[in-house]
Amino acid sequence: IASLLPEAGILDLGENRILGAEKKVASTPAEIRWHMIGHLQRNKARKALEIFSLIHSVDSERLLTRIDNVAAGTGRKAAVLLQVNISAEPQKHGVQPEAVAEILSNAAGLPHVEVQGLMGMGPFTAEPESCRPLFRTLRELRDEANIHSHYRTPLRELSMGMTNDFEVAIEE
């Protein structure tokens, strides 16, 4: 079945963990682009850069700096999204919304990292509509960063929405 993915137009797949991705990457066609969507620890940044074409879950300046240092050794830029804790849940990772502008400004000085956008998760809820204000906040943070040129290039991507609330995320 994996060999049929490119024929069906499916070129991007996500994985929560490095271990799970290692096995899957080996069994999928080379044109598949893998995305890291789960929490990434700094000590696993090197392995993540070997496997993933985009890391959605960069949740601190320290991790950004670590990825920049690792990417410098590979001779390429690492594509990442800055994870924002839009739900303010203590168990969720991500930078605080009020820190986004400063972190993006600092990230602009990291030559081996390319911040392409923002990622955020709403709370798991039976009522997806309750996540709409959070997804709107993430979009507005992205738009504001672009208007005020907080980063060296425009942020194009928003990664938000899970199985239960992705329709609301897409609308926002």
Side-chain angles (χ1 to χ4, degrees):
I1 292 199
S3 64
L4 300 176
L5 293 173
E7 289 178 36
I10 299 170
L11 298 175
D12 294 279
L13 296 175
E15 180 57 55
N16 286 341
R17 295 186 173 90
I18 290 174
L19 184 60
E22 285 180 303
K23 296 175 184 175
K24 293 174 184 172
V25 167
S27 66
T28 56
E31 56 265 55
I32 299 294
R33 295 177 298 255
W34 283 90
H35 296 235
M36 174 75 175
I37 57 175
H39 178 66
L40 177 62
Q41 298 171 343
R42 286 187 312 277
N43 65 340
K44 296 188 178 170
R46 183 172 309 284
K47 191 61 158 171
L49 290 180
E50 291 172 9
I51 297 172
F52 299 104
S53 62
L54 180 61
I55 300 172
H56 291 232
S57 51
V58 176
D59 61 2
S60 70
E61 249 184 294
R62 288 180 68 196
L63 181 56
L64 268 172
T65 302
R66 171 72 176 142
I67 291 170
D68 183 66
N69 290 334
V70 171
T74 68
R76 67 177 185 97
K77 284 193 177 190
V80 304
L81 302 180
L82 182 63
Q83 183 176 355
V84 183
N85 187 346
I86 54 173
S87 67
E89 293 176 281
Q91 71 273 21
K92 290 216 172 118
H93 298 280
V95 301
Q96 296 306 307
E98 59 273 10
V100 168
E102 181 180 355
I103 291 171
L104 287 172
S105 292
N106 294 340
L110 300 174
H112 302 286
V113 170
E114 185 64 42
V115 180
Q116 296 183 351
L118 304 177
M119 185 271 253
M121 294 185 296
F124 186 77
T125 176
E127 183 47 52
E129 194 61 36
S130 67
C131 294
R132 183 176 300 279
L134 303 174
F135 296 144
R136 182 176 301 126
T137 294
L138 193 67
R139 178 179 43 81
E140 290 170 348
L141 284 167
R142 191 265 326 257
D143 293 348
E144 189 167 311
N146 288 340
I147 289 168
H148 297 292
S149 300
H150 292 306
Y151 190 66
R152 63 179 177 255
T153 59
L155 304 178
R156 299 180 317 274
E157 303 295 332
L158 287 174
S159 176
M160 54 189 189
M162 303 291 272
T163 303
N164 62 318
D165 58 14
F166 73 91
E167 286 111 341
V168 173
I170 290 169
E171 290 172 0
E172 284 302 322

